[in-house]
Each structure stands twice: as C-alpha cells, then as structure tokens.
Amino acid sequence: MYALVDCNNFFVSCERVFRPQLEGKPVVVLSNNDGCVVSRSNESKAMGIKMGTPFFQIKTLCDSGRVIACSSNYALYGDMSSRVMTILSDSVPKIEVYSIDEAFLDLKGLDYNEILSLCRALAGKVFKCVGIPVSIGLAPTRTLAKVASHFAKKYRAYNGVCAIDNDAKRIKALSLTPIGDVWGIGRKLASKLVERGISTALDFAERPQSWVQENFNITSVRTWEELHGTACIEYEKYGRRKSICTSRSFAEMVTDEDELVAKVSDFAASCAKKLRKEGSAAYQITTFLYTNRFRDDMEQYFPSATVRVPVAASSTQEVVSEAVRALKIIYRPGYSYKKAGVIVDDLVMAGQIQSAMFDFDEKLRSRQDRLSELMDKVNSENSGLLRLATQNPGHYSDGIRCEHRSRLYTTSMDDIIQVKA
DNA sequence: TCTGGGGTCCTAGGACCC
DNA sequence: TCTGGGGTCCTAGGACCC
C-alpha cells in the first residue's frame, strides 16, 4: 500500500496557525507580486474563487473584507513544511517528499490494520505538533492514493484518512472522479478524452488498454495501469536536481538594459548560491526574457540564450558574467519586459568536475570558487551583505508587491535581517 | 492598471554514423 | 537523370506536476 499525505490548503493553513482569527473565514494566499491566488481556504473555494484567479479580479471582495488576502511568505511555508516532513519521516521507514505540501509514505512490511491506525495517528500528530490539517489517501498505487486523498479531504466522515483497499471501493471512487482530476491527466489530455466521451476516471479505466496505447502515449498507459491497481510509477530515485531556475515577474515593466543586467545578475547569483548549497556545478547557463503576454496591444518577444562553459561553474562571478553575456545576446531595445530569469543545467557534482584540457583560467577559477565560498560564509550571517557590483543593492525580491505579508513567525532572525537590509 | 515560480518527463525530428 | 537503410544520440518544445 501507498499512503499519500497531503496538507489541506497548505499556505492558508500556515497563515492560520499564527493568526487563528482567520479560522472559519474565506482566506486566500497570493503568488509573488500579489499576482494571483495560489491557495484557498474551504470558505473561499465555496465562494467560487478559482485557483490562479488574478488578484485584481477579487480585489473588491478583499477591500470590503469579505475575503482576506495574504501575500505569500515562502520562508514561513518552507519551515512549516519541514516540520511536517520531520514528523512523517520519524514515524515510518521511508518517505518521499513530493512537494512542499505532499509526501508519499513507504509502508512496506506493515500489515493492513496497522497501516490504517498508523495513518490516523499520524494525521493527529501532525495537527497537534504543527497545527496543519492533513488528508491521507491509502491505496495499492500512487495514482489511486491520490484519488483516495481527495475523498479524505472532501468528506468529513473519513476523518482525514481514506483507503481504497478493495475493488468495489476502487470502482466507486473512480466513477465519482472527473477524468481531469486524475494525477497525470492535465488540461489538454482531459479535453481530448472528454471529446471521446470519457468524463470520469472509470470511463477511462474501462477502455481497453490497447485503445489507450494506440491513441495516447506511454504516460497515459501508466496512468491506466495505476487506476487498475498495478503500481508502475516508481519511487523517485533521490537524484540531484537536473536544473535550477530563478526568475521573477516585475511589478513594473522594464525597458532599460542596465536595469535588466542588475536583475539578471541577481537571478544568476541566486542560481550560483543554490548550486553551491547542494554541491553541484553547471555547464550551461540560460537567460530568458518575457514581454507581457497579457498585453495584446504591445509587441511580444520571448527570447532566451544559452551559453556553455568549458569547466562546470558554481562561482557567483562566473555564473553572473555568463548570464549577463547571454542577456546581451538577446536584449533588444524597444520592448517592455515583464519577466526575466536564469536557468542553470547540465549539472555535475562539484567533486567530479572535469577540467578542460587547455584551461588557461584554472587559477582564476579556483580563486573565484574560494571567493564565492567566503561570500556564502559572510552572507549566511548578514544576508546579502556581499554581492557583485552588477547586482542590485538589496534583494531581488525587493520592489515586488507584497502588501499583505505575514510576519516571519518561525524564522524571526531572518525577519530582522530583512528589515535592516 | 493589475495575471507566479520551479521543476520533471516524453517525444518528434534532426544530426550524425557506418 | 538516377541518390539506401538502419541505427543512436541530442535537443527543443510540449505536457504535466505542485
């Protein structure tokens, strides 16, 4: 059996832990820049507010106090998440953290009765210790566990834990699940399936496997298998990430090249820091720019440029200078840019970097690496104190809108440092 | 006026090889 | 004028996830 533990309305629940007065009220959490809705309480869902709704469309509701909006506070959510995950991993042999608010539990070797009571106890323990309500779905495959967790969340009678543990329950659950709600069936696929008369997960499962194979791809066949109770989506191997990205939309559109250089430098510096933190280095650095895709009245331009380095890089200096080089390749005056970002990929572990045969810059590289190490050390105590001259003073998140931000309740030192900076 | 950010996997098609 | 066949590898872009 697989168990999927899913935190209910996670970001909203995090806010409520520290502001209990939000309990029972319609609350939403907004994305960066107070752009759109990314988490909703049950009450705001009931009002018909959809995931991804642009904030300006519900601003009147918020201004009149009928809905409470919070700016997102990722430092807080990350910290709450790790508290939840710690409790889970202390309680079962192995967990796989699937996202900030979800984890699969490996329950091998436990007998069924034990599993059910363990899951009930776990849900209680997480709520008691962290204050976050969770739903747990139990089933023979991950896809069915996802389905089960939806039922656990939707119907109070389950008390937070729902098991799909026989065929009758499986059929019943699938018949009540819209095809688009199935894990792995996205918008495009769902509409194709609906066109072919398939509206529920059961409709899909009842088609012959050969039909799925002929009309769709391997991913859909796996989903079909999983819905039938055959596990075929593997436990993710704990590999390192294959790419790292830092990007932001801007509150105000940017036209000036120097301003973009400063922002891209910040994003690149952030990528370099993430690389060093997990002990890897990158052969490829990509910079991309977006104009505002919602403005039909303006010229659109979505360029990107990728540069390769001969020796995998993780120093702030090198990643920043390559990202800026890529930016200068794609920058065109006359456009208003709404978003930019830097991606580093083709990653290797820092210990396994292959030196280039004619690396005339070897000394320079090793000095830059040492300097970056030093920057990390200083910056860990004084966030953002040391930076390259091309970077912005302050933090790249400064200047983006967050007018409804909660305090950094669990990481208060960071709070103070941010205020100083 | 105002519309997020960070990932993974799959596949078609091109480049290249013999 | 006529211009093969079969295989692998790589990559960009699409679809999906939270």
Side-chain angles (χ1 to χ4, degrees), chain A residues 264-365:
Chain A
V264 164
S265 298
D266 282 341
F267 301 152
S270 152
C271 286
K273 199 173 157 193
K274 291 178 193 171
L275 281 170
R276 294 194 294 272
K277 192 174 171 194
E278 62 173 45
S280 49
Y283 279 106
Q284 288 200 153
I285 293 113
T286 300
T287 299
F288 64 86
L289 295 172
Y290 288 170
T291 48
N292 190 339
R293 66 197 163 98
F294 296 102
R295 293 288 296 267
D296 306 336
D297 56 324
M298 300 177 82
E299 275 302 298
Q300 298 293 315
Y301 181 45
F302 307 110
S304 74
T306 302
V307 297
R308 281 190 74 85
V309 288
V311 179
S314 66
S315 74
T316 297
Q317 298 93 311
E318 195 169 9
V319 176
V320 168
S321 71
E322 296 301 326
V324 169
R325 188 157 69 90
L327 169 67
K328 300 212 161 168
I329 294 170
I330 53 177
Y331 173 79
R332 298 276 179 279
Y335 292 100
S336 298
Y337 298 97
K338 178 64 179 168
K339 178 173 177 171
V342 173
I343 302 166
V344 292
D345 65 353
D346 202 348
L347 306 184
V348 288
M349 282 191 281
Q352 297 174 356
I353 295 175
Q354 184 100 41
S355 52
M357 198 180 295
F358 301 105
D359 186 8
F360 301 116
D361 300 326
E362 199 181 332
K363 267 198 180 143
L364 177 64
R365 272 183 233 289

Side-chain angles (χ1 to χ4, degrees), chain A residues 68-326:
Chain A
I68 298 155
C70 308
S71 300
S72 45
N73 184 341
Y74 290 102
L76 176 67
Y77 310 147
D79 187 66
M80 295 297 279
S81 172
S82 65
R83 291 174 192 221
V84 172
M85 300 308 172
T86 301
I87 289 175
L88 298 179
S89 53
D90 283 351
S91 313
V92 296
K94 205 173 105 190
I95 78 166
E96 182 201 356
V97 177
Y98 178 67
S99 72
I100 194 164
D101 70 334
E102 278 176 63
F104 286 103
L105 309 185
D106 191 342
L107 301 169
K108 281 192 189 72
L110 304 171
D111 78 63
Y112 179 66
N113 291 321
E114 215 178 323
I115 288 176
L116 207 59
S117 52
L118 173 72
C119 286
R120 295 219 170 94
L122 259 183
K125 189 172 173 188
V126 169
F127 187 69
K128 188 177 166 201
C129 299
V130 195
I132 299 291
V134 300
S135 303
I136 304 182
L138 274 165
T141 69
R142 293 155 174 273
T143 308
L144 286 171
K146 278 269 193 185
V147 171
S149 78
H150 290 153
F151 283 91
K153 193 172 291 188
K154 199 164 166 189
Y155 301 104
R156 289 195 92 110
Y158 286 112
N159 269 321
V161 183
C162 170
I164 296 179
D165 50 7
N166 64 42
D167 221 40
K169 286 189 197 169
R170 184 180 66 88
I171 302 281
K172 180 85 191 288
L174 294 188
S175 74
L176 293 170
T177 301
I179 186 64
D181 287 1
V182 174
W183 191 42
I185 309 282
R187 254 205 352 255
K188 294 269 173 170
L189 206 46
S191 73
K192 268 190 205 168
L193 287 164
V194 169
E195 271 173 32
R196 291 165 161 81
I198 291 168
S199 59
T200 69
L202 186 62
D203 294 339
F204 181 67
E206 279 175 341
R207 291 291 174 115
Q209 193 193 23
S210 57
W211 179 84
V212 180
Q213 212 147 16
E214 280 158 28
N215 291 280
F216 302 95
N217 60 14
I218 183 73
T219 320
S220 316
V221 175
R222 280 186 203 139
T223 300
W224 186 93
E225 290 269 16
E226 288 249 324
L227 291 177
H228 279 265
T230 310
C232 54
I233 298 177
E234 303 241 336
Y235 240 41
E236 304 269 316
K237 298 150 197 72
Y238 274 102
R240 303 164 178 270
R241 286 184 285 185
K242 293 176 177 168
S243 67
I244 289 173
C245 172
T246 301
S247 71
R248 287 291 178 280
S249 295
F250 313 135
E252 315 261 324
M253 288 186 273
V254 175
T255 53
D256 180 55
E257 184 172 17
D258 291 339
E259 206 174 323
L260 285 174
V261 167
K263 289 184 185 298
V264 164
S265 298
D266 282 341
F267 301 152
S270 152
C271 286
K273 199 173 157 193
K274 291 178 193 171
L275 281 170
R276 294 194 294 272
K277 192 174 171 194
E278 62 173 45
S280 49
Y283 279 106
Q284 288 200 153
I285 293 113
T286 300
T287 299
F288 64 86
L289 295 172
Y290 288 170
T291 48
N292 190 339
R293 66 197 163 98
F294 296 102
R295 293 288 296 267
D296 306 336
D297 56 324
M298 300 177 82
E299 275 302 298
Q300 298 293 315
Y301 181 45
F302 307 110
S304 74
T306 302
V307 297
R308 281 190 74 85
V309 288
V311 179
S314 66
S315 74
T316 297
Q317 298 93 311
E318 195 169 9
V319 176
V320 168
S321 71
E322 296 301 326
V324 169
R325 188 157 69 90

